[in-house]
Amino acid sequence: MKRSEHRISFTKTALDTLEAKPARYFVYDAKVPGLAVQITPAGTKTFYLYRWLDGKPERIRLGRYPEISPELARKQVSHSMATLPKASTRLPLNKSGYSNGPNDSVWH
């Protein structure tokens, strides 16, 4: 499937025509950057906010279609992009993979 085929204008009609495949796949909204819908092999359609954070992809689940309309999903993405941090606010990890915390010697 070509990349352009992964991008459609999310309408109820367009989402209803998306069919399940043997493996889950994502389709992206042509109007709002970052809005995606995942289609599972069982046919479940779930909206996600898809963005890059600190060089890594991040998917935030918004809700299932048709419980959430495409219009509401667009509003949620627009609001989330305005309010979510642009960079990670996580504490740095030490060699064992745990946060050192502000009282650790790394912070002094």
Side-chain angles (χ1 to χ4, degrees):
M1 189 178 263
K2 295 179 184 177
R3 184 160 176 84
S4 61
E5 294 173 6
H6 281 71
R7 214 169 266 291
I8 63 171
S9 180
F10 285 175
T11 63
K12 290 181 180 187
T13 304
L15 291 173
D16 289 340
T17 61
L18 294 173
E19 296 181 3
K21 295 182 180 181
R24 73 179 178 148
Y25 68 101
F26 285 87
V27 176
Y28 301 90
D29 188 27
K31 292 183 180 179
V32 176
L35 178 57
V37 67
Q38 172 187 269
I39 300 91
T40 66
T44 303
K45 298 168 185 166
T46 307
F47 288 112
Y48 282 88
L49 164 61
Y50 184 84
R51 68 183 192 144
W52 287 86
L53 183 67
D54 295 336
K56 297 179 183 175
E58 178 181 51
R59 290 188 191 110
I60 300 171
R61 186 178 183 273
L62 302 173
R64 288 195 175 154
Y65 174 78
E67 288 85 20
I68 293 181
S69 69
E71 296 80 20
L72 180 57
R74 285 186 182 114
K75 288 179 185 175
Q76 287 181 339
V77 166
S78 297
H79 179 266
S80 295
M81 293 297 264
T83 58
L84 286 173
K86 304 291 186 237
S88 178
T89 56
R90 298 181 204 129
L91 293 173
L93 301 179
N94 62 19
K95 289 180 183 177
S96 59
Y98 295 98
S99 171
N100 292 314
N103 296 326
D104 201 324
S105 60
V106 170
W107 298 94
H108 297 167

